[in-house]
Amino acid sequence: MSNLDFEKFQKLFLQEANEQLEIMEKAIMQLEEKGEDREIIDEFFRMAHSLKGSAGSMGYTAIASLTHEMENVLDKLRNTPGILNDDMIDLLFISIDTLKHLRENVEKDLPESVNPEIDHLLQRFQEITSPDGQKKQKAVDKKLYLTSQEFKNLKEKDQEKNVFLLCFELIHQQEMQSMVAFLIFNNLKDEGEIIKTCPPHLEEVEGDLPFFSILICTEKGREEIGKIVEQALDQEEYKIFPWSEIEKGEAGEYCQEVKESFARRDESRDSIRVDIEKVDQLMKLVGELVIDKERLLEISKGIKANSRDNPEAQALLQTIPHVDFIATELHESVMDIRMYPVGSIFKRFPRLVRDISRQTGKEVHLEFSGEDTELDRTILQEVFDPLVHLVRNAIDHGIEQPDQREARGKTARGSVALNAWQEENNIVIEVKDDGAGIDLEKIKARALEKNLVREKQAEEMDRESILELIMEPGFSTSESVNDLSGRGVGMDVVRTNIENLDGEVEITSEAGMGTSIKIVLPLTLAIVQALMVREKGNDYAIPLSAIFETMAVNGKNESDLIKTVKNREVVIWREQVIPLIRLSDFFQMGTSCQEGFLVIGGVKGRMVAIMVEAVLGEQEIVVKSLGDFLGKDKLFGEIPGISGATIKGNGEVALILDIQGMLKSFKKGGDTIERQSISC
Amino acid sequence: MGKKILVVDDASFMRLNLKNILEGQDYEVVGEATNGNEAVKLYQETRPDLVTMDITMPEKDGITAMKEILEIDPSALVLIISAMGQEAYIKKAIVAGAKHFIVKPFKKDNVLKVIEKVLEGGR
């Protein structure tokens, strides 16, 4: 093709592509509005298909591969009605946007970019279209489904090697069952190729997992595989089926061949849209149910003691544990409905990152991990804006210009990672960059300039406190106020937003190496496990997630446990010196008891020992906000150390202690802080 | 002759607890280490058949200590002791070569069973 010809073709291509993209965009909007419609899908498909064809012949591979994947999804939609979901719609939207950019690049004679964003898109399409794409699927179903094609492939594989299906039912191990699964998975993966697992992505599952199965292709024999498995568990806890038995249907309980179309339908069946308010209402009701359940359990304790031979009382005693079980299950199910993978907001970032990196002239590679980590949907929505801000900051202030990076011995392209994971009762979302890091001296100087700290204060501050300064209102290090960050919406807004969700922001940074900002959010807002303690006749709840140990203090060991350092009482625990807070002193309720219990707790590595009169036991508590009464500008003013209240089994109110708040107020003012006397 | 076991935990209560369980069953506790550094040192000195290794310890954590032991002796059998909910650590430990794990607070029968399994499976 001569140059002239090429130009002619290119012009035609651009023109056509424009029209095709417009039609596709219209189609996707209609699909979103109306739901599935065969005609619209057909037209959409045709447009994607012809764009693919012309892009392919012009040699625009990115456009061609993207439209190819779109075609696959649309084809799937045509063949299996009822599977269109928000994820697909979002993905198609993003794809059209991406195609528009790619087209623009062609028009501007820019080289067709091979950026990671497209790779990510392609991967996501493949996740949707491949049969084992649904990562979130829970192991409700014991069966491993194999499509006819997979069945055929396995049969071939079994000619040369051995295919085994291993089905596990954990009888002895009751705790952290998923770790046994992980152990076995880890041991087996060195012995051959793991083809499929049930639940899918077995190695990522956490928590209870009484049943799971692994399909493996290996050179090893049955006995050898058995020996490896039995290093982790007992013979009666698993079954092993060679391919011949699977083929004969002898493993029918655990493994089934499905026709392609059924397999597809199965993986994405039955989803309905429900108004979030309805779910919230359900959640509220479940909360009330849990309170009543705790009351019932409390009442049943009384019955046990004094009515052994009353048959009705006995029947009640048998029913209550069942109610307890059902209420807990119900709570978990409702929580689960509200859970949403963080990936759903991560996917909005590639576009943003590309835009910012273009505007700033910086090269940025965006990475994700833990997209499947789930978080309450409401929290997730609130987290999006703060995350956008953090990512903007990372690119704007963190990542250096390509030449600067190279001069510092780094790759020209900077990296920003969005990571998510669960840590005990929290979900952590991290924005991490490998940029210049935060200059502590600059921060100090800026804070002094803005009168946020006094000079003497600044000198004494530790690293962590200095970094926290950037979240003070009125602080902004951006030297040039530009389009992106530094528009007045600073880190203080990020912090406020996150704290409104009961979360925290943690900053770590190393000069020259990069910055990591973590948003730590509570997994659930409503119901938590707590340790109930008593002091001066009042009960308090301490979230179990913040507790490490409890110890009895009596006349004998008091002097060993509690020491006085610089006029402050401390506790020596596991070779650490940690501050002691006597609950009575903290809330100014009179003299503290001399004997009782020490609750060793801590948040973010900062430890504290709390002295109380009595430890009552563990309980599931429903967190009720005291928002109208406590807190800044509220009826009683801000009372540090209280995060809310709960209703106990006997109907009385107990206050929930906020260990972090206690630590903060303790650190700030020591004993001089003004606290109001409080009791419930 | 009882198999030799090295017990590693920073809490003396835990060490005592394990020791009682083990010595009641013809195992010989050949050493007790209170942190990762001691664990590596004692491993070299005593060459036990199995190590029970706590994860969170001062100075050197259990996973690092295990890795060092495995470098010295790739056939070492290390059993990780972890608190509830430390999935991430357990995974890390398994990938790094731990043969099994026990969850605190543990039951005697379970401890013995897991130890037996690991010893059986060991080369």
Side-chain angles (χ1 to χ4, degrees), chain A residues 12-266:
Chain A
L12 192 64
F13 167 79
L14 286 169
Q15 206 179 359
E16 258 185 17
N18 218 6
E19 286 160 19
Q20 285 153 345
L21 283 166
E22 263 177 34
I23 295 171
M24 283 196 253
E25 189 152 53
K26 207 170 129 198
I28 185 69
M29 286 194 276
Q30 281 177 322
L31 283 179
E32 184 172 52
E33 199 189 347
K34 293 184 193 164
E36 273 181 27
D37 181 307
R38 180 64 195 242
E39 265 183 49
I40 300 172
I41 296 173
D42 277 348
E43 178 154 62
F44 199 165
F45 181 89
R46 274 198 304 278
M47 291 304 127
H49 184 75
S50 44
L51 181 55
K52 179 179 95 171
S54 44
S57 52
M58 295 292 289
Y60 304 136
T61 46
I63 299 182
S65 34
L66 195 51
T67 41
H68 176 74
E69 292 299 341
M70 290 170 81
E71 237 186 86
N72 283 346
V73 168
L74 292 163
D75 191 37
K76 203 174 146 177
L77 277 174
R78 287 207 291 208
N79 293 332
T80 34
I83 62 165
L84 181 68
N85 57 31
D86 284 356
D87 255 338
M88 286 189 192
I89 289 186
D90 279 351
L91 195 51
L92 289 168
F93 259 125
I94 299 171
S95 308
I96 292 172
D97 280 353
T98 311
L99 285 172
K100 281 185 187 166
H101 276 273
L102 291 171
R103 186 198 157 279
E104 264 174 44
N105 282 359
V106 171
E107 193 164 30
K108 289 177 194 156
D109 260 337
L110 292 168
E112 196 188 29
S113 62
V114 206
N115 63 37
E117 190 194 327
I118 291 174
D119 286 343
H120 183 67
L121 264 181
L122 295 177
Q123 197 190 338
R124 285 188 48 208
F125 269 114
Q126 277 149 13
E127 262 175 30
I128 288 189
T129 38
S130 64
D132 55 357
Q134 298 293 87
K135 283 190 179 181
K136 291 173 293 179
Q137 192 179 322
K138 284 208 167 173
V140 188
D141 204 340
K142 280 187 179 182
K143 269 184 197 170
L144 195 79
Y145 292 99
L146 295 172
T147 63
S148 306
Q149 188 59 43
E150 285 172 318
F151 216 76
K152 217 177 107 196
N153 293 346
L154 285 170
K155 197 176 169 171
E156 276 168 25
K157 278 194 173 160
D158 194 58
Q159 303 288 322
E160 285 174 25
K161 293 180 184 174
N162 298 313
V163 173
F164 294 113
L165 175 67
L166 295 145
C167 305
F168 303 88
E169 195 141 16
L170 300 181
I171 306 164
H172 304 304
Q173 179 85 19
Q174 297 303 328
E175 291 150 342
M176 300 223 254
Q177 292 170 325
S178 59
M179 290 302 105
V180 177
F182 185 80
L183 181 66
I184 293 171
F185 183 92
N186 193 63
N187 290 350
L188 282 176
K189 84 178 191 304
D190 300 332
E191 307 299 331
E193 178 198 358
I194 291 180
I195 299 178
K196 238 181 176 179
T197 60
C198 173
H201 303 272
L202 181 64
E203 70 279 22
E204 287 166 20
V205 175
E206 288 192 355
D208 293 344
L209 192 64
F211 183 91
F212 58 97
S213 60
I214 296 174
L215 188 68
I216 186 172
C217 176
T218 171
E219 284 177 357
K220 298 265 160 72
R222 187 174 177 156
E223 261 181 35
E224 282 167 289
I225 293 293
K227 215 177 148 193
I228 290 159
V229 169
E230 280 170 41
Q231 284 172 17
L233 43 67
D234 284 345
Q235 213 172 0
E236 72 257 31
E237 291 183 291
Y238 79 102
K239 283 182 190 149
I240 180 164
F241 299 95
W243 180 252
S244 57
E245 288 175 16
I246 300 172
E247 217 178 0
K248 278 186 241 154
E250 283 169 24
E253 198 186 328
Y254 306 107
C255 177
Q256 193 187 352
E257 181 185 354
V258 277
K259 297 276 170 286
E260 216 84 347
S261 56
F262 282 111
R264 284 174 176 172
R265 181 166 300 150
D266 193 72

